[in-house]
Amino acid sequence: MTTALIALAALAVGIVSLVTRPAPAPAAATPAPVAAAPNATPASDTSAADRALCTAIAPLMAESDRFSNAWTDLGEPGTPARDAATPKFISDTLDWIGRAQPMLDQHPDVDPFFRRSLQRFIDDLHLLVVDLRPGPLTSYAKALYADGVGAYSGPLHICDGLGIKW
């Protein structure tokens, strides 16, 4: 009799659960496509604008390479030759920034990645030389230098892809 009662109780629970089961959730609706932001510009071909900026900055980038390589080729940070050349590197870099920034600003229609990476390169150089002093590089200066090298690769690859080298 106990087995029959347990079976009957299980049957009652099963029936009650079927009767009181909530309706299945409706299938997820496919979301409507998101409309573009009202001020968003459609993707466009920026190769002409990119080529114009590459042509304009190539001599500046080559110049930056020359004075940066000359400075780093003097030895490790903190060596007498490198320390003696640091003030000139700072002034050369600040002069370069004063010419490179307006050049970038004159080309607002370039690929956004190109603009951002070139701006990062300019900004990283500026931040580097603001606190640069003769002697060993601080960890902050090392990080800025490394980030600047990464940012430099953006314009380098874009311009190289357009056949403009420095």
Side-chain angles (χ1 to χ4, degrees):
M1 182 151 172
T2 308
T3 306
L5 283 174
I6 292 175
L8 187 59
L11 180 62
V13 169
I15 292 172
V16 169
S17 69
L18 283 175
V19 172
T20 61
R21 177 180 294 171
T30 304
V34 176
N39 296 329
T41 54
S44 61
D45 180 12
T46 61
S47 59
D50 295 351
R51 183 178 306 284
L53 180 55
C54 287
T55 301
I57 66 162
L60 287 171
M61 299 301 276
E63 178 187 347
S64 174
D65 287 352
R66 279 191 302 278
F67 70 74
S68 294
N69 289 338
W71 181 64
T72 58
D73 288 348
L74 291 172
E76 291 297 314
T79 59
R82 180 100 167 248
D83 284 355
T86 296
K88 181 170 178 9
F89 173 73
I90 292 169
S91 65
D92 287 349
T93 302
L94 291 172
D95 174 67
W96 182 89
I97 291 166
R99 292 178 287 126
Q101 185 66 57
M103 191 67 61
L104 174 58
D105 294 342
Q106 291 169 13
H107 295 84
D109 298 330
V110 297
D111 175 85
F113 171 75
F114 186 9
R115 171 175 273 294
R116 289 189 315 270
S117 59
L118 181 54
Q119 186 66 64
R120 265 188 55 215
F121 178 65
I122 293 168
D123 290 347
D124 285 347
L125 283 178
H126 196 176
L127 290 168
L128 174 68
V129 299
V130 165
D131 292 325
L132 188 62
R133 302 288 177 265
L137 293 179
T138 64
S139 59
Y140 177 72
K142 288 176 188 175
L144 283 169
Y145 185 83
D147 191 61
V149 170
Y152 176 93
S153 69
L156 178 69
H157 291 296
I158 290 167
C159 294
D160 188 62
L162 293 169
I164 300 169
K165 300 176 184 337
W166 53 78

